[in-house]
Amino acid sequence: CLNIKVGSASRGVLNILSVTKFRPPCNLSFFFFVQFGRTEMIDNTLNPDFVRKFVLDFFFEEKQNLRFDVYNVDTRSSNISKHDFLGQTFCTLGEIIGSAGGRLERTLGIPGKKCGTIIFTAEELSNCRDIATMQLCANKLDKKDFFGKSDPFLVFYRSNEDGTFTICHKTEVVKNTLNPVWQPFTIPVRALCNGDYDRTVKVDVFDWDRDGSHDFIGEFTTSYREFSRGQSQFNVYEVRAKSQNDGTNDTQLNFTVAIDFTASNGNPSQPTSLHYMNPYQMNMYAMALKAVGEIIQDYDSDKLFPAYGFGAKLPPDGKISHAFPLNSNTDDPNCVGIEGVLEVYFQSLRSVQLYGPTNFAPVINQVARSAKEVTDGSQYFVLLMITDGVISDMVQTKEAVVNAASLPMSIIIVGVGPAEFDAMEELDGDEVRVSSRGRYAERDIVQFVPFRDYIDRSGNQVLSMARLAKDVLAEIPDQLLSYMKSRGIEPRPALPNTNNSQSLSLRI
C-alpha cells in the first residue's frame, strides 16, 4: 500500500453563464462513489488550478475507480444539489499513477457534450513530516492597476519529475500596495517539495483582479534548502518578469498551405470525392488543414497565411498552375486565419478545374524563396502540403527539398485517401537523408503521414484531427533547433526587467 497525493486542475470548462464566469469546486469520489472530498472554490475562472490535494491509499492489485464532478457554485449552501452541475469524468487511481509523469488528462463532460478537460497529477508521498512556517514581504513591486497600485498575492508551485509545476499554496491578497506584507503561514514540507530539499520551488507574484484575469508581476525559483538557510533572518529574492524573448531567438513561425487540386481527387460535387463539399462535415483536406493550422497559428502573430493550390486549370484560359494563390491575388496570397484559408479553399473548388499532374517542386520553391530572404533566425517557415497521390516530379521535388534543407524551413506532407504513398517515404528522411545529384539534404525537414492512420474508428473527427496534429507537428521544434544550431544562432538573453529593484523577502 502506498500513500498517493492526487491533485486536479481543469481547462476550458464550459461557461454556462452569459455574463460572468463561475467558481468551480471539484468533488472526488471513489470505490462505490461515496464522496471522498471537495476542492476549494475558485472564483471567476474557466481554467482553475486547485490547491487542495487528496491523499489516497493505492493498492496495486485492486481497481480503484474514481469519479470527479465539477460544479458551478451559486450559493453558500453546502448541499451540492443546490449548485449547477458542469460535468464529470471517470478514471482509476492506477490510470493516473501509470500515466507518463503521473499526469493524466481526461475530457470533462455530460452525455453528448464536452465541457472541458480535467488534469490529474499523482505522486507517492515521502515520509517527511517536517512543517515549515513562512512569512513573506515584497518591496517595490510593479504597478499593474491603472487606478491605484497593485493587489499582490503569491502562488507557490513545486516541480514535478517531468519538468512541469504543480500548485501547492496561495497566499491571501494584500490590497493596494507595492510593498505587501503577507500573513505567516505553515505548510508541510512534503507538500512543498515532497521531502526533497533540493527540488525546485517556483513562486509567482500576481496582481489580483476581480474578474479572475490576474496580472502576472514576476517570479523567482528557489528550493526548500535555500529557504531554510535564512532561519532567524531574511532571505531576499529578485522577482523577475518572464522574458518576452523566450524560445530560440524570438523566432516567428510563418505557416503556408498548399492543396492538391488534381483530378484524381474526384469531382468535388460527388460524395466519393476527397474534395466533396459536404454541408454537414469536413472532408479530409479541410480536417487536415484545420487540425495542423489551428495549432501552428498560435505561433504566427499576424495570423496571415499564404495559401496555394497545385495541379489545376485556372480560369479564364485554362492554364495549368502548380502554385496558384487560392485567393486569386498573386501579389498578396495571404488569408486571414485558418477560417480564411478554408473559405478560399472551398471557393477555389467552385472556380478551377481539377487536372494534374501532381507537382510538388513549384510550391516548395515558392516558399523557399521567402525563407531565403530571412536566414537570421528571426523567422521560420512551415509548409503544409495536402495531397491524394503519387508525386509526378519526384526528381525536381528531391532537389527542391535538398535546397530547402539549408534554409529556415520545414515541410509537412499529409496524404489523404486510399492511395499508396510509398514514394513519399523517400522524402521523409528519418531513415535515409534525401539526396539529389549526389548532394544530401543538410537537415531532415520533411514529415510525411497518411491521414488514414489517424482516423478514429468511431468517426470522431475532433479526435482524428488531434491525433494527426500531434504527430505531424512533433518534429517541428527539433527541425527548427537543428537549423539554429547549424547556423550558430544562439537564443537571445532575457530582456532586463524594467523594474530592477523589484524584490521579495522571506522569513522562515
Side-chain angles (χ1 to χ4, degrees):
C1 171
L2 299 176
N3 283 129
I4 302 297
K5 177 175 286 189
V6 177
S8 61
S10 296
R11 295 292 181 266
V13 182
L14 178 67
N15 189 355
I16 64 169
L17 304 180
S18 59
V19 179
T20 60
K21 297 179 183 176
F22 55 85
R23 303 172 291 179
C26 180
N27 288 335
L28 168 63
S29 308
F30 76 120
F31 295 111
F32 296 105
F33 301 121
V34 176
Q35 182 173 294
F36 181 81
R38 298 184 186 183
T39 68
E40 75 281 10
M41 178 185 67
I42 301 179
D43 286 326
N44 294 318
T45 180
L46 305 180
N47 300 290
D49 286 310
F50 300 106
V51 175
R52 188 173 301 160
K53 306 297 188 293
F54 303 98
V55 178
L56 307 177
D57 291 331
F58 170 64
F59 300 91
F60 177 79
E61 68 278 11
E62 294 183 10
K63 184 176 182 180
Q64 296 171 263
N65 294 303
L66 306 175
R67 190 183 86 200
F68 294 81
D69 297 347
V70 178
Y71 290 84
N72 174 36
V73 175
D74 286 327
T75 70
R76 296 182 181 275
S77 173
S78 61
N79 184 346
I80 204 67
S81 66
K82 302 294 185 181
H83 306 296
D84 298 319
F85 178 67
L86 297 176
Q88 66 182 192
T89 193
F90 298 84
C91 66
T92 67
L93 185 56
E95 285 180 291
I96 302 176
I97 295 171
S99 59
R103 186 178 189 274
L104 177 67
E105 292 191 24
R106 279 291 169 87
T107 297
L108 183 69
I110 55 180
K113 180 179 290 187
K114 177 181 177 181
C115 302
T117 300
I118 189 164
I119 304 167
F120 310 110
T121 57
E123 184 176 14
E124 181 182 355
L125 288 177
S126 71
N127 292 322
C128 178
R129 303 295 180 185
D130 294 346
I131 301 291
T133 300
M134 303 184 186
Q135 183 174 21
L136 297 98
C137 62
N139 184 43
K140 297 181 181 179
L141 292 178
D142 195 13
K143 181 178 179 294
K144 293 294 183 182
D145 292 340
F146 186 76
F147 296 104
K149 299 178 181 179
S150 291
D151 304 318
F153 68 96
L154 305 176
V155 181
F156 287 71
Y157 303 86
R158 71 175 186 185
S159 60
N160 302 316
E161 293 180 358
D162 61 356
T164 60
F165 287 89
T166 299
I167 187 171
C168 58
H169 182 75
K170 284 184 183 177
T171 68
E172 78 281 8
V173 177
V174 182
K175 293 293 190 70
N176 198 31
T177 179
L178 304 181
N179 303 292
V181 178
W182 289 278
Q183 293 294 320
F185 66 90
T186 60
I187 184 171
V189 172
R190 68 181 187 180
L192 192 66
C193 61
N194 204 23
D196 180 356
Y197 284 16
D198 296 312
R199 179 183 289 200
T200 299
V201 176
K202 182 165 76 80
V203 181
D204 285 352
V205 187
F206 288 95
D207 168 42
W208 177 85
D209 288 325
R210 186 178 300 276
D211 64 1
S213 60
H214 311 306
D215 299 316
F216 178 78
I217 295 176
E219 66 179 3
F220 68 91
T221 57
T222 182
S223 66
Y224 180 70
R225 190 178 301 281
E226 291 182 11
F227 273 152
S228 60
R229 285 174 182 160
Q231 290 192 15
S232 301
Q233 61 183 356
F234 281 108
N235 281 347
V236 179
Y237 300 91
E238 184 176 359
V239 178
R240 294 183 176 273
K242 291 179 181 177
S243 168
Q244 297 302 308
N245 280 321
D246 237 3
T248 305
N249 206 29
D250 197 19
T251 301
Q252 177 70 39
L253 290 188
N254 293 294
F255 181 52
T256 302
V257 177
I259 297 176
D260 185 336
F261 280 79
T262 57
S264 56
N265 285 283
N267 188 333
S269 64
Q270 299 298 317
T272 54
S273 172
L274 294 170
H275 282 306
Y276 179 52
M277 292 181 284
N278 188 330
Y280 303 108
Q281 65 180 19
M282 292 182 290
N283 61 40
M284 293 183 71
Y285 278 89
M287 287 173 62
L289 171 58
K290 192 174 179 70
V292 178
E294 287 196 339
I295 292 177
I296 209 167
Q297 71 175 350
D298 290 340
Y299 306 95
D300 191 321
S301 60
D302 61 11
K303 304 295 186 288
L304 296 176
F305 308 123
Y308 298 95
F310 57 92
K313 281 187 174 181
L314 308 184
D317 56 3
K319 181 180 178 181
I320 299 173
S321 175
H322 298 289
F324 63 91
L326 296 185
N327 64 2
S328 302
N329 188 339
T330 55
D331 295 325
D332 183 10
N334 289 316
C335 304
V336 180
I338 296 304
E339 294 303 321
V341 178
L342 286 168
E343 181 180 351
V344 295
Y345 158 60
F346 289 120
Q347 289 176 355
S348 295
L349 287 175
R350 297 184 180 96
S351 62
V352 305
Q353 178 187 347
L354 305 191
Y355 202 69
T358 307
N359 291 352
F360 276 21
V363 75
I364 293 175
N365 290 331
Q366 176 82 17
V367 177
R369 283 192 289 271
S370 298
K372 194 173 183 179
E373 295 177 359
V374 190
T375 58
D376 62 355
S378 62
Q379 298 187 49
Y380 194 84
F381 294 77
V382 178
L383 169 62
L384 170 64
M385 305 188 73
I386 313 174
T387 183
D388 81 314
V390 178
I391 301 174
S392 304
D393 64 338
M394 179 59 82
V395 173
Q396 293 86 348
T397 295
K398 289 169 65 176
E399 183 173 3
V401 169
V402 170
N403 292 334
S406 63
L407 301 172
M409 178 174 169
S410 289
I411 303 169
I412 298 169
I413 304 173
V414 178
V416 298
E420 293 298 325
F421 295 106
D422 294 344
M424 298 290 191
E425 301 290 350
E426 190 176 351
L427 298 178
D428 191 338
D430 288 339
E431 302 295 333
V432 180
R433 196 68 58 83
V434 180
S435 64
S436 174
R437 302 181 184 180
R439 187 163 60 99
Y440 283 86
E442 185 177 313
R443 301 180 296 122
D444 173 21
I445 65 167
V446 178
Q447 169 79 335
F448 167 75
V449 296
F451 199 174
R452 58 175 175 254
D453 291 354
Y454 301 88
I455 299 297
D456 180 60
R457 293 181 179 178
S458 67
N460 186 325
Q461 287 194 343
V462 174
L463 186 56
S464 301
M465 292 161 62
R467 289 171 175 170
L468 174 72
K470 181 179 180 180
D471 210 14
V472 299
L473 293 173
E475 293 187 10
I476 297 297
D478 287 340
Q479 291 175 358
L480 185 152
L481 288 174
S482 71
Y483 173 79
M484 300 300 177
K485 290 178 180 178
S486 70
R487 296 297 179 270
I489 299 172
E490 297 291 337
R492 291 175 185 164
L495 288 176
N497 195 331
T498 55
N499 187 354
N500 290 322
S501 60
Q502 191 172 219
S503 64
L504 186 144
S505 301
L506 165 72
R507 183 189 294 277
I508 185 170

